[in-house]
Amino acid sequence: MNNQPSLCIDLKKNRIRIHKGTLHLLGNPEYIQILVNPDRHMLALRKSKRTDHAAHRVSICSVDSKYYYELYSLTFLQKLRKGNTSLENNQTYRIYGEFSPKEGIAQFSMNDCIPVDDNEKEEVLL
């Protein structure tokens, strides 16, 4: 099993795609919380509860047996872009992060965004 969390930021469709491996590292939660530290240009995911007003219910999508969770938000992605002006509109980026089992949190540096080539877009579903 790959212990490195990953996600994709799709600025063309204003979505964040959280890969199944990342969700598995978080314990396959029913709810997650997305945390942002704009000063450090960091994005983090952690397991949450239904009672948390900032939680997102994880509704798994399935395409050809590849699972992921998608969150659409123009406002959220615009704010992320302010922290990283090198991100281009109409581009998809993959970010590999680190998982801390002790804290139960997956962390991603917005400075580590890797542009996804159009030929790789199908692979982004990993």
Side-chain angles (χ1 to χ4, degrees), residues 26 29 31-35 44-49 52 103-106:
L26 295 171
Y31 292 87
I32 61 167
Q33 191 177 52
I34 301 173
L35 308 165
L45 304 173
R46 70 177 174 190
K47 188 175 184 175
S48 191
K49 298 178 182 178
D52 182 353
E103 287 87 22
I105 193 165

PDB file of all heavy atoms in Angstrom, residues 26 29 31-35 44-49 52 103-106:
ATOM      1  N   LEU A  26      -6.716   8.031   6.148  1.00  0.00           N
ATOM      2  CA  LEU A  26      -7.487   8.751   7.164  1.00  0.00           C
ATOM      3  C   LEU A  26      -8.493   7.843   7.879  1.00  0.00           C
ATOM      4  O   LEU A  26      -9.237   8.306   8.740  1.00  0.00           O
ATOM      5  CB  LEU A  26      -8.207   9.945   6.538  1.00  0.00           C
ATOM      6  CG  LEU A  26      -7.315  11.051   5.990  1.00  0.00           C
ATOM      7  CD1 LEU A  26      -8.141  12.070   5.201  1.00  0.00           C
ATOM      8  CD2 LEU A  26      -6.563  11.747   7.126  1.00  0.00           C
ATOM      9  N   PRO A  29     -13.006   7.812   6.430  1.00  0.00           N
ATOM     10  CA  PRO A  29     -13.980   8.542   7.248  1.00  0.00           C
ATOM     11  C   PRO A  29     -15.273   8.850   6.508  1.00  0.00           C
ATOM     12  O   PRO A  29     -15.293   8.967   5.284  1.00  0.00           O
ATOM     13  CB  PRO A  29     -13.244   9.838   7.580  1.00  0.00           C
ATOM     14  CG  PRO A  29     -12.344  10.056   6.410  1.00  0.00           C
ATOM     15  CD  PRO A  29     -11.907   8.670   6.003  1.00  0.00           C
ATOM     16  N   TYR A  31     -16.828  11.637   7.356  1.00  0.00           N
ATOM     17  CA  TYR A  31     -16.712  13.091   7.273  1.00  0.00           C
ATOM     18  C   TYR A  31     -15.246  13.485   7.364  1.00  0.00           C
ATOM     19  O   TYR A  31     -14.468  12.843   8.082  1.00  0.00           O
ATOM     20  CB  TYR A  31     -17.473  13.779   8.422  1.00  0.00           C
ATOM     21  CG  TYR A  31     -18.964  13.618   8.318  1.00  0.00           C
ATOM     22  CD1 TYR A  31     -19.605  12.516   8.860  1.00  0.00           C
ATOM     23  CD2 TYR A  31     -19.731  14.561   7.644  1.00  0.00           C
ATOM     24  CE1 TYR A  31     -20.979  12.357   8.749  1.00  0.00           C
ATOM     25  CE2 TYR A  31     -21.107  14.411   7.530  1.00  0.00           C
ATOM     26  CZ  TYR A  31     -21.716  13.309   8.084  1.00  0.00           C
ATOM     27  OH  TYR A  31     -23.073  13.152   7.967  1.00  0.00           O
ATOM     28  N   ILE A  32     -14.880  14.543   6.630  1.00  0.00           N
ATOM     29  CA  ILE A  32     -13.521  15.085   6.713  1.00  0.00           C
ATOM     30  C   ILE A  32     -13.591  16.584   6.921  1.00  0.00           C
ATOM     31  O   ILE A  32     -14.599  17.231   6.638  1.00  0.00           O
ATOM     32  CB  ILE A  32     -12.681  14.786   5.453  1.00  0.00           C
ATOM     33  CG1 ILE A  32     -13.319  15.412   4.210  1.00  0.00           C
ATOM     34  CG2 ILE A  32     -12.409  13.316   5.296  1.00  0.00           C
ATOM     35  CD1 ILE A  32     -12.405  15.422   3.000  1.00  0.00           C
ATOM     36  N   GLN A  33     -12.488  17.115   7.392  1.00  0.00           N
ATOM     37  CA  GLN A  33     -12.338  18.555   7.537  1.00  0.00           C
ATOM     38  C   GLN A  33     -11.129  18.964   6.697  1.00  0.00           C
ATOM     39  O   GLN A  33     -10.103  18.267   6.697  1.00  0.00           O
ATOM     40  CB  GLN A  33     -12.116  18.897   9.007  1.00  0.00           C
ATOM     41  CG  GLN A  33     -12.205  20.377   9.306  1.00  0.00           C
ATOM     42  CD  GLN A  33     -12.061  20.644  10.783  1.00  0.00           C
ATOM     43  OE1 GLN A  33     -11.108  20.191  11.405  1.00  0.00           O
ATOM     44  NE2 GLN A  33     -13.001  21.360  11.347  1.00  0.00           N
ATOM     45  N   ILE A  34     -11.275  20.065   5.979  1.00  0.00           N
ATOM     46  CA  ILE A  34     -10.183  20.600   5.162  1.00  0.00           C
ATOM     47  C   ILE A  34      -9.662  21.839   5.866  1.00  0.00           C
ATOM     48  O   ILE A  34     -10.415  22.769   6.146  1.00  0.00           O
ATOM     49  CB  ILE A  34     -10.665  20.941   3.740  1.00  0.00           C
ATOM     50  CG1 ILE A  34     -11.226  19.694   3.057  1.00  0.00           C
ATOM     51  CG2 ILE A  34      -9.524  21.543   2.923  1.00  0.00           C
ATOM     52  CD1 ILE A  34     -11.870  19.960   1.718  1.00  0.00           C
ATOM     53  N   LEU A  35      -8.380  21.824   6.166  1.00  0.00           N
ATOM     54  CA  LEU A  35      -7.742  22.920   6.882  1.00  0.00           C
ATOM     55  C   LEU A  35      -6.751  23.611   5.962  1.00  0.00           C
ATOM     56  O   LEU A  35      -6.062  22.949   5.179  1.00  0.00           O
ATOM     57  CB  LEU A  35      -7.011  22.388   8.118  1.00  0.00           C
ATOM     58  CG  LEU A  35      -7.843  21.497   9.046  1.00  0.00           C
ATOM     59  CD1 LEU A  35      -6.939  20.751  10.004  1.00  0.00           C
ATOM     60  CD2 LEU A  35      -8.861  22.320   9.782  1.00  0.00           C
ATOM     61  N   ALA A  44      -4.507  20.714   4.603  1.00  0.00           N
ATOM     62  CA  ALA A  44      -4.503  19.482   5.390  1.00  0.00           C
ATOM     63  C   ALA A  44      -5.899  18.875   5.414  1.00  0.00           C
ATOM     64  O   ALA A  44      -6.903  19.588   5.291  1.00  0.00           O
ATOM     65  CB  ALA A  44      -4.014  19.762   6.805  1.00  0.00           C
ATOM     66  N   LEU A  45      -5.937  17.572   5.557  1.00  0.00           N
ATOM     67  CA  LEU A  45      -7.192  16.829   5.667  1.00  0.00           C
ATOM     68  C   LEU A  45      -7.136  16.002   6.937  1.00  0.00           C
ATOM     69  O   LEU A  45      -6.097  15.423   7.258  1.00  0.00           O
ATOM     70  CB  LEU A  45      -7.357  15.878   4.477  1.00  0.00           C
ATOM     71  CG  LEU A  45      -7.291  16.471   3.090  1.00  0.00           C
ATOM     72  CD1 LEU A  45      -7.290  15.352   2.047  1.00  0.00           C
ATOM     73  CD2 LEU A  45      -8.472  17.392   2.857  1.00  0.00           C
ATOM     74  N   ARG A  46      -8.272  15.961   7.633  1.00  0.00           N
ATOM     75  CA  ARG A  46      -8.361  15.086   8.796  1.00  0.00           C
ATOM     76  C   ARG A  46      -9.777  14.571   8.944  1.00  0.00           C
ATOM     77  O   ARG A  46     -10.734  15.171   8.442  1.00  0.00           O
ATOM     78  CB  ARG A  46      -7.899  15.784  10.063  1.00  0.00           C
ATOM     79  CG  ARG A  46      -8.829  16.871  10.560  1.00  0.00           C
ATOM     80  CD  ARG A  46      -8.323  17.439  11.853  1.00  0.00           C
ATOM     81  NE  ARG A  46      -9.146  18.578  12.245  1.00  0.00           N
ATOM     82  CZ  ARG A  46      -8.853  19.393  13.218  1.00  0.00           C
ATOM     83  NH1 ARG A  46      -7.730  19.213  13.899  1.00  0.00           N
ATOM     84  NH2 ARG A  46      -9.645  20.391  13.512  1.00  0.00           N
ATOM     85  N   LYS A  47      -9.880  13.452   9.619  1.00  0.00           N
ATOM     86  CA  LYS A  47     -11.165  12.830   9.890  1.00  0.00           C
ATOM     87  C   LYS A  47     -11.984  13.769  10.773  1.00  0.00           C
ATOM     88  O   LYS A  47     -11.442  14.453  11.633  1.00  0.00           O
ATOM     89  CB  LYS A  47     -10.916  11.500  10.608  1.00  0.00           C
ATOM     90  CG  LYS A  47     -12.121  10.652  10.799  1.00  0.00           C
ATOM     91  CD  LYS A  47     -11.691   9.318  11.421  1.00  0.00           C
ATOM     92  CE  LYS A  47     -12.847   8.391  11.549  1.00  0.00           C
ATOM     93  NZ  LYS A  47     -12.434   7.074  12.034  1.00  0.00           N
ATOM     94  N   SER A  48     -13.279  13.806  10.531  1.00  0.00           N
ATOM     95  CA  SER A  48     -14.141  14.682  11.307  1.00  0.00           C
ATOM     96  C   SER A  48     -15.413  13.945  11.695  1.00  0.00           C
ATOM     97  O   SER A  48     -15.557  12.747  11.443  1.00  0.00           O
ATOM     98  CB  SER A  48     -14.459  15.944  10.500  1.00  0.00           C
ATOM     99  OG  SER A  48     -15.087  16.901  11.324  1.00  0.00           O
ATOM    100  N   LYS A  49     -16.339  14.691  12.285  1.00  0.00           N
ATOM    101  CA  LYS A  49     -17.610  14.125  12.740  1.00  0.00           C
ATOM    102  C   LYS A  49     -18.769  14.891  12.127  1.00  0.00           C
ATOM    103  O   LYS A  49     -18.628  16.044  11.731  1.00  0.00           O
ATOM    104  CB  LYS A  49     -17.706  14.210  14.259  1.00  0.00           C
ATOM    105  CG  LYS A  49     -16.652  13.432  14.977  1.00  0.00           C
ATOM    106  CD  LYS A  49     -16.776  13.601  16.465  1.00  0.00           C
ATOM    107  CE  LYS A  49     -15.663  12.830  17.160  1.00  0.00           C
ATOM    108  NZ  LYS A  49     -15.702  12.999  18.604  1.00  0.00           N
ATOM    109  N   ASP A  52     -19.556  18.412  13.442  1.00  0.00           N
ATOM    110  CA  ASP A  52     -18.635  19.512  13.146  1.00  0.00           C
ATOM    111  C   ASP A  52     -19.210  20.342  11.998  1.00  0.00           C
ATOM    112  O   ASP A  52     -19.406  19.844  10.898  1.00  0.00           O
ATOM    113  CB  ASP A  52     -17.267  18.943  12.772  1.00  0.00           C
ATOM    114  CG  ASP A  52     -16.227  20.018  12.500  1.00  0.00           C
ATOM    115  OD1 ASP A  52     -16.569  21.211  12.460  1.00  0.00           O
ATOM    116  OD2 ASP A  52     -15.057  19.640  12.316  1.00  0.00           O
ATOM    117  N   GLU A 103      -1.183  12.199  14.509  1.00  0.00           N
ATOM    118  CA  GLU A 103      -2.201  13.243  14.484  1.00  0.00           C
ATOM    119  C   GLU A 103      -3.405  12.869  13.622  1.00  0.00           C
ATOM    120  O   GLU A 103      -4.434  13.542  13.660  1.00  0.00           O
ATOM    121  CB  GLU A 103      -1.615  14.577  13.982  1.00  0.00           C
ATOM    122  CG  GLU A 103      -0.706  15.260  14.973  1.00  0.00           C
ATOM    123  CD  GLU A 103       0.732  14.784  14.864  1.00  0.00           C
ATOM    124  OE1 GLU A 103       1.113  14.256  13.798  1.00  0.00           O
ATOM    125  OE2 GLU A 103       1.470  14.908  15.851  1.00  0.00           O
ATOM    126  N   GLY A 104      -3.244  11.844  12.784  1.00  0.00           N
ATOM    127  CA  GLY A 104      -4.329  11.443  11.886  1.00  0.00           C
ATOM    128  C   GLY A 104      -4.641  12.513  10.855  1.00  0.00           C
ATOM    129  O   GLY A 104      -5.795  12.776  10.535  1.00  0.00           O
ATOM    130  N   ILE A 105      -3.575  13.109  10.322  1.00  0.00           N
ATOM    131  CA  ILE A 105      -3.749  14.225   9.391  1.00  0.00           C
ATOM    132  C   ILE A 105      -2.860  14.031   8.160  1.00  0.00           C
ATOM    133  O   ILE A 105      -1.732  13.557   8.264  1.00  0.00           O
ATOM    134  CB  ILE A 105      -3.447  15.568  10.106  1.00  0.00           C
ATOM    135  CG1 ILE A 105      -3.912  16.749   9.285  1.00  0.00           C
ATOM    136  CG2 ILE A 105      -1.992  15.692  10.461  1.00  0.00           C
ATOM    137  CD1 ILE A 105      -3.976  18.040  10.058  1.00  0.00           C
ATOM    138  N   ALA A 106      -3.407  14.376   7.002  1.00  0.00           N
ATOM    139  CA  ALA A 106      -2.653  14.372   5.749  1.00  0.00           C
ATOM    140  C   ALA A 106      -2.365  15.827   5.395  1.00  0.00           C
ATOM    141  O   ALA A 106      -3.292  16.642   5.342  1.00  0.00           O
ATOM    142  CB  ALA A 106      -3.444  13.699   4.642  1.00  0.00           C
TER     143      ALA A 106
END
